[in-house]
Structure formats: C-alpha cells, structure tokens
Amino acid sequence: MYHNKKRENENYPLKLKVKRGEAVYPPRLTKGKDSELLYHSSGESGAEHWQSWMFSQEFQVMKGRTGDYWTIGPTAMEIKAIPDLWIMNTIANEKYSFLEIPDATKGYGFCSGRVDYERRESEWTTLELICFEDKSLHVVNGEVVMILKNSLYMYGGTEITLQKNKIQTQCEAAEVF
C-alpha cells in the first residue's frame, strides 16, 4: 500500500499501466486477483471499516472487474448508471441519469462497469483516472467505463465535498506490477 502524505491532487489526469503477476496469497488463492486505485483520499490511514485505508473513492483494478466503483468508508458519489434490480448490481451506463452511490437504504456503495476492457493477465492494461472539479472518469484501455460526479465524505452527519486529496494504491494478496 502506498500513501503520499505530503501531496494533494486536484483537477488532474492520472495514467498508469498495470499487469498481473503470478504470485497469489491467502485469501486470494481461489479468488480474482485484486488491487485498487483509491482517490480523493481523506482522513487518517486505517479509519475505514477494514482499518487499512483512508476514506476514499475506489477505481477497482480486479481481474474481470477493472473500472468498477466502490466506496471506502463514509463516502459517496453519483454515477450515470442503471439502478440495481432486486438481486442484480447497479451497472454504469452513460445513457442513464446519475444515481447516488451508496444507496442509503442498502448501506454499501458499489457500481459495476458494463464491459470488461482489461487485457489478458500477461499484457499491460492502461488505466486513466480523470478528475476535474466535481467530475471523474474511470477509463480502461481508452474506453470510458464510468462517469462519476459529486464526491462526498460524511463526517459527523455533515457532507464534505471531496474534489481534491491524496491518491493511494492497494493490492490484496496478489502480485501486480
């Protein structure tokens, strides 16, 4: 896990390449290889439920799920998406209106990308995170996976706008370059 505790980022494009390695460790031995790009990170490390990361927005970098969105701690965003249908996930789609994620009635914050643009494990995948004012884009290999806006952090019942802050990278028990 990497934290840059000195620098805040605002109105930026971030472009990087990732490739999966061979090594996998418990509990990921039979699960998808998983890592993340966490942005608009705020607060202290270890403040969220798993006591590992700062409160943040997650650009998922998981085999078959790259570009998905998760909330980390008491954060929220609005995403152009098809609403979940009973047991089916909320799915990003630029043709639909913005939905607030998380849905306060469900208590978790996740939105699935509608297409997997990641390359094969042995090849490099290009990730782009574009943040400008209150909007963000998750882009995988030149394809927009998700359009997001209005990043928020809840603190003591107060909504705090997150348009700048730190970036964290994370890996969950599987080698990634």
Side-chain angles (χ1 to χ4, degrees):
M1 181 171 23
Y2 168 77
H3 298 282
N4 183 343
K5 296 189 183 268
K6 296 181 181 179
R7 183 171 173 204
E8 289 189 340
N9 301 282
E10 180 178 23
N11 296 331
Y12 61 91
L14 174 65
K15 187 174 187 177
L16 57 120
K17 292 186 179 224
V18 297
K19 180 171 71 169
R20 310 237 179 253
E22 296 292 322
V24 185
Y25 307 95
R28 287 267 164 217
L29 296 174
T30 60
K31 298 177 181 174
K33 295 177 181 177
D34 191 10
S35 53
E36 284 84 26
L37 175 61
L38 305 175
Y39 62 102
H40 294 335
S41 302
S42 182
E44 294 297 318
S45 296
E48 49 65 62
H49 175 73
W50 297 106
Q51 300 178 336
S52 300
W53 308 287
M54 300 163 78
F55 298 140
S56 53
Q57 310 298 1
E58 179 179 313
F59 182 133
Q60 178 73 264
V61 188
M62 181 178 189
K63 183 178 177 183
R65 308 304 310 237
T66 298
D68 289 0
Y69 168 79
W70 281 94
T71 59
I72 302 296
T75 61
M77 284 190 96
E78 293 177 36
I79 304 172
K80 282 191 163 266
I82 302 167
D84 70 341
L85 301 171
W86 189 48
I87 60 170
M88 297 167 58
N89 293 337
T90 302
I91 301 171
N93 190 313
E94 72 279 357
K95 296 176 187 173
Y96 286 76
S97 299
F98 281 98
L99 296 176
E100 187 171 332
I101 308 288
D103 177 336
T105 64
K106 296 196 174 43
Y108 62 88
F110 171 74
C111 184
S112 179
R114 69 184 167 120
V115 178
D116 177 14
Y117 294 109
E118 186 177 8
R119 303 239 191 274
R120 287 181 274 175
E121 278 193 22
S122 61
E123 298 177 8
W124 291 98
T125 293
T126 301
L127 308 178
E128 293 177 81
L129 171 64
I130 301 168
C131 295
F132 184 74
E133 295 177 354
D134 73 333
K135 295 173 184 62
S136 301
L137 293 176
H138 291 188
V139 182
V140 178
N141 290 319
E143 301 289 340
V144 175
V145 175
M146 201 164 290
I147 302 168
L148 311 95
K149 72 175 187 175
N150 295 333
S151 176
L152 300 173
Y153 162 52
M154 296 300 294
Y155 182 76
T158 302
E159 289 183 0
I160 299 169
T161 300
L162 286 177
Q163 290 184 9
K164 66 177 181 178
N165 250 314
K166 298 173 179 82
I167 294 171
Q168 304 172 93
T169 57
Q170 181 258 10
C171 178
E172 290 186 27
E175 188 176 46
V176 64
F177 302 99

